[in-house]
Amino acid sequence: GSYWMLDNAAIIMPAVSNRRNTFVFRMSASLDHPIVYSAMEEALHACAKRFPYFMVHLKRGFFWYYLQPTSALPVLETDIGPPNMGLNLRQRYRFLFRVRLSGNRVACEFAHILSDGTGCMAFLKALLAEYFRILGVTSTPLPGDVRVGDTPSAEEHEDAYHRYYRPGVPPPGKQGQAYHIDSKLLPKGQYRVTCGVVSVEGLSAQAKSRGVSINDLVVAAYMDALITTRQAELDAGKKPRPVVSLEVPVNLRKFYPTKTLRNFSLFALPAIDLRPGGFSFDELVKRAHHLMRLEGDERRMATHVSRNARAGRSIMIRLVPVWLKDFFARLFFESMGEGMMSGMLSNLGPVSMPQELEAHIERFDFVGAPSTIIKTGASMLSWKGMAYISFHSLAQSRDVERLFFSRLAWLGLDVRVESSMEV
């Protein structure tokens, strides 16, 4: 058609996004040479044809927001100022993504309205492959890679939540409000990124010795940092909430076959109630492992799909005007959305590129979207045997990041920490 409905994960976002809670996340690649502007521009325009479902503007109808395709071409931007900020999604004729350049680095910043980490990374990889092809470095795509020059398939922009909705599956049970770190926000327009670089082999050895995955280990270290921060608040006479929980996005494509490059992820929500008492680090690792198995299970995911898709199917909800939907969406988001999580950890796992291009790419980075409610979140990926774990924060306090990286060092791991803002 001449427009697309927002997918089920995106429906709430236009209502709850603002200049700080932008719902914009970022994937970037640092190359072995300063980027050639003309070649990158040509590659971007080729990608515009290959990913037509990303070449859209957000429009507000009477009942719903929708995505309006455009024949306009995206323009390269200079990568200055903090990431993921200042992209006003409601601005007219504004793309819901941008490609930013700085020296040898190219960054794709995507509004979550458009896609999830899988879609953004598919776009970045296609952009890089095309850029190198223009420079004369041809490569053989890996299985599943999207190639510029191939015809886009309809399945690439399907709303897979609706396809895999099963009537009769109940929504997940209600979860209580979670602890949030007590910290003033940074001044408007600031967004701090603290990245720790650590060997995958080292993380893997620590995880294996405990019989868990790297992801479980990182979840435990993050929860441990939150629990310690909360304890300090308790000791200072404050009254923080007793439940510490972490939102861990789960890529639903591993359970339900689809080629969609729109949103198709939900989240596991491992939570720990601290009223019965605290936990040692090894106990936390065990708990994180089992909670992730329970929470990340296909049947558990089906209940989340049910809750998301059911709302969009309700005739009552469909007939409510968009301004009223916006009002309720904001209430719902604070209680049912980020109200239930103390932090978030998005792990993209290992990035793979065609062999011919590997030597030309020094690193990849992944920076998640800002949140004024949870304030600090983390995202990670790995490239050539190194894990890049980025904490992104709107909080003045750096306690969570400091405690997390200290825990990795305590495990005997060699961590190099870089910060985008001077201490």
Side-chain angles (χ1 to χ4, degrees):
S2 58
Y3 68 91
W4 285 304
M5 295 303 290
L6 270 59
D7 63 60
N8 261 97
I11 281 176
I12 197 171
M13 292 175 194
V16 294
S17 69
N18 56 39
R19 292 201 74 89
R20 273 178 155 178
N21 291 329
T22 57
F23 286 92
V24 174
F25 63 96
R26 160 185 176 118
M27 312 253 164
S28 63
S30 303
L31 311 183
D32 65 348
H33 63 275
I35 285 164
V36 182
Y37 187 94
S38 57
M40 190 58 81
E41 186 175 56
E42 194 183 324
L44 178 58
H45 293 168
C47 280
K49 292 187 185 67
R50 180 59 189 82
F51 296 89
Y53 36 85
F54 292 160
M55 305 302 135
V56 291
H57 299 142
L58 181 68
K59 296 282 194 186
R60 183 178 164 150
F62 185 74
F63 291 112
W64 295 108
Y65 290 92
Y66 60 93
L67 300 174
Q68 178 87 53
T70 172
S71 56
L73 286 172
V75 179
L76 291 172
E77 299 183 21
T78 310
D79 194 12
I80 46 170
N84 307 346
M85 301 291 273
L87 184 68
N88 182 356
L89 307 181
R90 294 201 200 80
Q91 191 181 331
R92 288 179 66 180
Y93 311 120
R94 170 92 234 198
F95 281 108
L96 298 176
F97 75 95
R98 61 187 178 196
V99 177
R100 305 174 80 184
L101 303 183
S102 171
N104 68 330
R105 186 181 64 218
V106 55
C108 291
E109 296 188 349
F110 265 58
H112 241 311
I113 291 172
L114 206 54
S115 184
D116 55 20
T118 301
C120 180
M121 185 49 91
F123 185 85
L124 175 58
K125 286 170 71 167
L127 180 69
L128 289 168
E130 181 63 9
Y131 167 78
F132 280 112
R133 189 195 66 73
I134 292 163
L135 291 184
V137 186
T138 50
S139 58
T140 315
L142 300 170
D145 278 2
V146 178
R147 291 197 70 160
V148 169
D150 292 352
T151 311
S153 74
E155 197 183 333
E156 286 174 20
H157 64 86
E158 75 165 341
D159 184 346
Y161 297 102
H162 277 302
R163 175 167 157 199
Y164 287 107
Y165 169 71
R166 302 205 295 268
V169 172
K174 185 156 168 41
Q175 188 133 359
Q177 297 285 290
Y179 160 72
H180 293 136
I181 60 168
D182 183 30
S183 167
K184 288 193 171 73
L185 292 173
L186 289 167
K188 280 195 171 138
Q190 289 188 12
Y191 192 39
R192 183 180 64 247
V193 180
T194 308
C195 180
V197 187
V198 58
S199 94
V200 173
E201 205 181 325
L203 280 172
S204 179
Q206 284 298 325
K208 275 203 181 102
S209 72
R210 293 168 169 80
V212 302
S213 70
I214 287 178
N215 201 54
D216 297 335
L217 185 77
V218 174
V219 164
Y222 191 167
M223 290 189 109
D224 181 53
L226 286 165
I227 290 167
T228 308
T229 308
R230 181 187 169 277
Q231 187 58 48
E233 289 177 22
L234 260 181
D235 296 344
K238 292 174 181 161
K239 293 199 168 96
R241 291 179 185 142
V243 175
V244 168
S245 70
L246 212 52
E247 180 193 62
V248 185
V250 174
N251 184 354
L252 295 179
R253 296 165 185 84
K254 64 181 193 190
F255 298 126
Y256 309 114
T258 174
K259 289 195 174 75
T260 192
L261 291 177
R262 293 175 73 186
N263 286 302
F264 197 43
S265 47
L266 282 165
F267 53 86
L269 200 64
I272 290 181
D273 189 329
L274 295 164
R275 283 170 296 194
F279 298 90
S280 71
F281 182 68
D282 281 343
E283 287 171 333
L284 268 183
V285 173
K286 280 199 193 83
R287 264 190 115 75
H289 169 77
H290 292 300
L291 286 169
M292 285 304 295
R293 295 304 156 288
L294 291 167
E295 281 280 317
D297 175 71
E298 186 274 327
R299 286 153 292 239
R300 176 74 178 157
M301 286 299 130
T303 68
H304 288 288
V305 172
S306 167
R307 179 177 66 193
N308 278 24
R310 183 175 292 170
R313 286 161 179 260
S314 150
I315 194 79
M316 285 299 290
I317 290 178
R318 282 155 92 163
L319 294 176
V320 172
V322 73
W323 60 268
L324 198 57
K325 283 195 185 92
D326 282 0
F327 172 75
F328 284 110
R330 284 190 278 271
L331 292 180
F332 172 84
F333 182 68
E334 288 196 7
S335 63
M336 293 292 290
E338 296 199 334
M340 301 192 310
M341 55 202 69
S342 313
M344 69 103 60
L345 170 73
S346 187
N347 182 0
L348 204 72
V351 180
S352 53
M353 285 296 286
Q355 204 178 341
E356 302 89 336
L357 306 181
E358 275 190 7
H360 299 292
I361 301 169
E362 287 172 358
R363 67 187 273 180
F364 283 94
D365 284 276
F366 173 18
V367 179
S371 159
T372 49
I373 299 174
I374 61 172
K375 301 185 185 86
T376 299
S379 39
M380 66 183 282
L381 48 70
S382 65
W383 172 246
K384 289 186 189 168
M386 298 307 281
Y388 296 87
I389 307 172
S390 292
F391 277 80
H392 34 272
S393 184
L394 290 175
Q396 288 183 16
S397 161
R398 299 163 184 256
D399 292 348
V400 174
E401 300 95 309
R402 186 176 50 76
L403 289 160
F404 174 87
F405 290 122
S406 302
R407 175 59 75 188
L408 294 193
W410 176 84
L411 288 171
L413 297 168
D414 186 15
V415 192
R416 186 175 86 243
V417 179
E418 313 158 345
S419 179
S420 68
M421 285 168 60
E422 291 313 305
V423 180

